[in-house]
Amino acid sequence: KSAEVFPLDAWNEILAVNLSGSFLGCKIVGATMLGAGSGSIINIASLYGVVSPNHKIYEDTHISQPIAYSVSKSGVISLTKYLGTLWASRGVRVNCLTPGGVFDDHPEPFLSRFNDLNPIGRMLDKKELRGAVVFLASEASSHVVGHNLIVDGGWTVW
């Protein structure tokens, strides 16, 4: 539903799952990592936490991106930065992975519209996130803190 008629209950539910869920996961896992003096937390955001959806690609598709989704994923990125700077000196790195346009049997005309607008010309295969996850979890990223690693085929470069 459009923002002017979006139900508050739906807003609260989406924020509870995406943003509060991320906070609670960080809080619980982070406490254990802080006690050990090391660890790497990887939050999952979304392309629409970085940029607004291109609403035109959704027309006549029965797919929607509600306002609360974008707001909650933007909040996950801010949560990551906040905790990243708070916990880095205590040995816990907090970073974020932002996938963009993950293919999940999307219907036409959405698929062709998305592909036409993405520099790489296609949606992301979820397997393509493996390298980013391994990087953020490993010592290869030992000096990366509060970062939002965007894997989107160039969508946010435009």
Side-chain angles (χ1 to χ4, degrees):
K1 295 187 177 187
S2 189
E4 69 275 11
V5 295
F6 195 77
L8 182 59
D9 288 347
W11 170 275
N12 289 335
E13 183 178 325
I14 292 169
L15 264 69
V17 171
N18 291 346
L19 185 53
S20 296
S22 294
F23 166 71
L24 292 171
C26 287
K27 179 181 175 181
I28 292 165
V29 173
T32 300
M33 291 179 176
L34 289 166
S38 69
S40 175
I41 294 174
I42 305 169
N43 289 318
I44 305 298
S46 168
L47 174 68
Y48 294 148
V50 178
V51 296
S52 180
N54 180 334
H55 302 286
K56 292 179 182 180
I57 66 175
Y58 292 93
E59 291 174 1
D60 303 318
T61 66
H62 306 292
I63 304 171
S64 67
Q65 287 298 325
I67 186 171
Y69 181 81
S70 291
V71 170
S72 67
K73 291 301 188 172
S74 181
V76 169
I77 295 167
S78 291
L79 172 69
T80 298
K81 292 176 181 184
Y82 185 99
L83 293 177
T85 58
L86 183 66
W87 293 345
S89 65
R90 296 173 62 192
V92 177
R93 294 181 301 106
V94 183
N95 290 293
C96 191
L97 178 61
T98 289
V102 180
F103 181 71
D104 188 24
D105 296 322
H106 290 83
E108 290 294 341
F110 173 85
L111 186 60
S112 59
R113 289 174 183 165
F114 184 96
N115 291 347
D116 287 347
L117 293 172
N118 199 0
I120 204 167
R122 63 178 175 80
M123 296 189 83
L124 173 73
D125 181 319
K126 60 187 170 193
K127 294 176 187 172
E128 293 176 294
L129 294 172
R130 291 176 183 166
V133 170
V134 169
F135 170 70
L136 289 175
S138 74
E139 286 301 310
S141 64
S142 62
H143 207 69
V144 178
V145 172
H147 182 67
N148 180 29
L149 180 56
I150 300 172
V151 182
D152 69 352
W155 184 273
T156 55
V157 177
W158 292 119

